[in-house]
């Protein structure tokens, strides 16, 4: 399928679409991953993954855009929600250089940033090793994406 929006619906009980992300889920707060839930998974879904990135962030390396805040995968196909601060599945490496969710922390005075929490539905239950970068992760997952969608939250310092 490649990367195209599908009927999958993504929501959070912590913030609405295009609404501010509460400080609790940011680098200025407790830095917890927000609760995320989804419905409308495509038929044949065997696994999920979640990515959070900020396309408004200054470039941190050539060939990239924005800033990666979360790469989270090996989520079973029968899961439809992640609790606040979820640590039950596998973390990749963020642009903070850590294997854990890193909440919004845009440069002060840089304006409103948009944080895309993507849920990817996969046609296989992949067992990927921990610590993949976003690009390593996408190389392995892209052929297996059968649906995806996102919720966008905002944050400003």
């Amino acid at each position: 399928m490649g990367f195209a929006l599908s009927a999958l619906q993504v929501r959070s009980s912590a913030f609405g679409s295009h609404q501010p992300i509460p400080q609790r889920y940011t680098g200025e707060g407790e830095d917890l991953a927000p609760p995320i839930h989804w419905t409308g998974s495509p038929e044949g879904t065997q696994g999920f993954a979640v990515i959070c990135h900020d396309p408004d962030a200054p470039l941190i390396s050539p060939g990239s855009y924005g800033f990666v805040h979360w790469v989270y995968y090996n989520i079973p196909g029968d899961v439809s929600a992640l609790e606040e601060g979820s640590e039950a599945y596998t973390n990749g490496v963020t642009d903070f250089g850590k294997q854990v969710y890193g909440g919004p922390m845009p440069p002060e005075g840089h304006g409103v940033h948009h944080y895309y929490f993507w849920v990817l539905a996969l046609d296989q239950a992949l067992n990927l090793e921990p610590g993949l970068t976003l690009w390593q992760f996408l190389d392995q997952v892209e052929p297996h994406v059968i649906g995806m969608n996102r919720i966008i939250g905002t944050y400003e310092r």
Side-chain angles (χ1 to χ4, degrees):
M1 170 186 168
F3 292 100
L5 297 180
S6 70
L8 188 71
Q9 295 295 307
V10 181
R11 297 202 173 26
S12 176
S13 59
F15 60 92
S17 181
H18 295 281
Q19 297 299 309
I21 297 170
Q23 191 174 46
R24 173 179 180 85
Y25 306 106
T26 74
E28 293 185 297
E30 295 176 53
D31 219 7
L32 293 172
I36 304 286
H37 61 275
W38 53 91
T39 58
S41 303
E43 188 173 327
T45 298
Q46 299 295 311
F48 293 98
V50 175
I51 297 167
C52 176
H53 85 285
D54 169 11
D56 302 316
L59 298 179
I60 62 161
S61 63
S64 72
Y65 75 104
F67 196 92
V68 177
H69 288 263
W70 203 16
V71 183
Y72 199 51
Y73 46 93
N74 295 337
I75 303 169
D78 61 351
V79 171
S80 62
L82 299 176
E83 300 296 324
E84 173 182 274
S86 176
E87 295 182 0
Y89 307 109
T90 307
N91 277 295
V93 176
T94 69
D95 285 339
F96 290 111
K98 298 178 181 179
Q99 282 183 233
V100 67
Y101 169 82
M105 190 71 168
E108 287 191 42
H110 203 255
V112 175
H113 282 225
H114 297 81
Y115 296 86
Y116 288 67
F117 289 83
W118 290 96
V119 175
L120 284 65
L122 310 173
D123 67 1
Q124 288 185 19
L126 303 176
N127 186 23
L128 303 175
E129 65 271 16
L132 297 175
T133 66
L134 174 63
W135 301 111
Q136 291 167 332
F137 167 76
L138 291 175
D139 280 345
Q140 294 190 46
V141 167
E142 196 279 332
H144 302 287
V145 175
I146 56 173
M148 63 187 292
N149 216 324
R150 79 278 188 245
I151 184 170
I152 302 168
T154 63
Y155 195 72
E156 179 177 14
R157 289 179 62 213

